[in-house]
């Protein structure tokens, strides 16, 4: 079984919107050839992944993908989103809503309740905005999926703010995994809370 190179792994997981200028019929062959991968890398590098896909990218790529494979990075972002919505998750007392939250979040529901990670103190206006956003997502037809999508977007915004300028390559890798026009909510978690979750995930 062939072990994918870091560049090949990046190109395999990159959302198609980042390569929309390429003929769809040519993308698969390009990903499977050395010259094609170099061309795709140059395109992505010019389009927002300059640090991750620099002309000599191996050291950066190897570090980022070794420490943050797709699933692990997605898990960190989702956990950050759950933590960001902790103030309204903790405040929810309606039995049916709590049941649905526990079902959607599973073990992550306990993270939302953990005040040792973050006390969850936010201004009233932000509390109300988070409450509206959470309930709007839960009322959509997709239910749990819409809620998880909301939390994922929020978590990515929190991670982007914290990682800038600490690790621009990580920010670029996170961006490539999602549509180029991905919504960017306003982050509000304190840096210490993001750092705490980042350190926990980085050590796993």
């Amino acid at each position: 079984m062939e072990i994918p190179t870091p560049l090949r792994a990046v190109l395999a997981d990159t959302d198609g919107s980042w390569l929309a200028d390429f003929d769809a019929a040519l993308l698969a062959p390009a990903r499977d050839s050395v010259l094609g991968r170099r061309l795709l890398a140059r395109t992505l590098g010019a389009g927002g992944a300059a640090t991750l896909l620099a002309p000599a990218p191996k050291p950066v790529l190897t570090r980022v993908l070794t420490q943050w494979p797709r699933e692990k990075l997605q898990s960190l972002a989702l956990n950050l989103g759950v933590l960001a919505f902790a103030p309204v998750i903790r405040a929810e007392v309606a039995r049916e809503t709590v049941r649905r939250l526990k079902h959607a979040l599973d073990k992550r529901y306990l993270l939302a309740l953990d005040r040792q990670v973050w006390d969850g103190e936010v201004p009233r206006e932000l509390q109300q905005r988070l409450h509206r956003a959470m309930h709007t997502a839960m009322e959509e037809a997709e239910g749990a999926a819409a809620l998880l999508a909301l939390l994922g977007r929020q978590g990515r915004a929190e991670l982007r703010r914290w990682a800038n300028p600490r690790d621009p390559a990580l920010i670029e890798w996170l961006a490539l995994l999602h549509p180029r026009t991905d919504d960017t909510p306003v982050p509000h978690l304190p840096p210490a809370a993001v750092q705490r979750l980042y350190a926990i995930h980085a050590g796993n």
Side-chain angles (χ1 to χ4, degrees):
M1 180 178 178
E2 181 185 3
I3 299 175
T5 63
L7 177 56
R8 192 165 191 163
V10 166
L11 293 175
D13 283 339
T14 293
D15 186 84
S17 61
W18 292 89
L19 298 169
D21 291 340
F22 281 83
D23 187 322
L26 299 177
L27 273 179
R31 285 188 171 107
D32 288 333
S33 74
V34 175
L35 290 177
R37 288 194 292 272
R38 289 176 181 171
L39 175 61
L40 294 175
R42 283 199 296 270
T43 300
L44 292 175
T51 303
L52 184 68
L53 298 172
K58 185 176 179 181
V60 177
L61 275 178
T62 300
R63 174 186 65 80
V64 173
L65 266 72
T66 298
Q67 186 174 21
W68 298 106
R70 179 188 183 115
E71 294 78 9
K72 184 176 179 178
L73 186 56
Q74 301 284 53
S75 179
L76 170 60
L78 182 54
N79 281 348
L80 286 170
V82 170
L83 190 63
F85 273 79
V88 290
I89 295 174
R90 293 170 187 167
E92 192 58 63
V93 294
R95 181 177 299 179
E96 177 60 17
T97 304
V98 171
R99 185 195 67 79
R100 293 175 63 192
L101 284 170
K102 288 181 176 179
H103 175 74
L105 302 181
D106 196 22
K107 294 179 181 178
R108 289 184 167 93
Y109 183 77
L110 297 178
L111 171 62
L113 303 183
D114 190 348
R115 292 184 178 274
Q116 292 185 345
V117 181
W118 180 44
D119 62 15
E121 297 297 326
V122 295
R124 180 176 176 81
E125 180 182 349
L126 176 56
Q127 178 97 5
Q128 293 174 337
R129 178 166 60 81
L130 294 175
H131 181 272
R132 287 193 300 270
M134 185 179 78
H135 280 266
T136 297
M138 294 178 70
E139 290 165 5
E140 292 186 16
E142 298 85 354
L147 175 63
L148 294 177
L150 170 70
L151 299 177
R153 288 193 298 272
Q154 184 68 44
R156 293 194 291 276
E158 304 291 351
L159 184 55
R160 278 193 293 265
R161 183 178 70 168
W162 177 85
N164 180 28
R166 293 175 176 87
D167 194 345
L170 176 61
I171 298 174
E172 293 170 0
W173 173 220
L174 180 66
L176 291 179
L177 295 173
H178 300 278
R180 196 167 187 173
T181 56
D182 193 26
D183 292 340
T184 305
V186 178
H188 58 265
L189 283 175
V194 180
Q195 169 68 44
R196 197 167 292 124
L197 274 190
Y198 175 92
I200 292 171
H201 281 258
N204 292 339

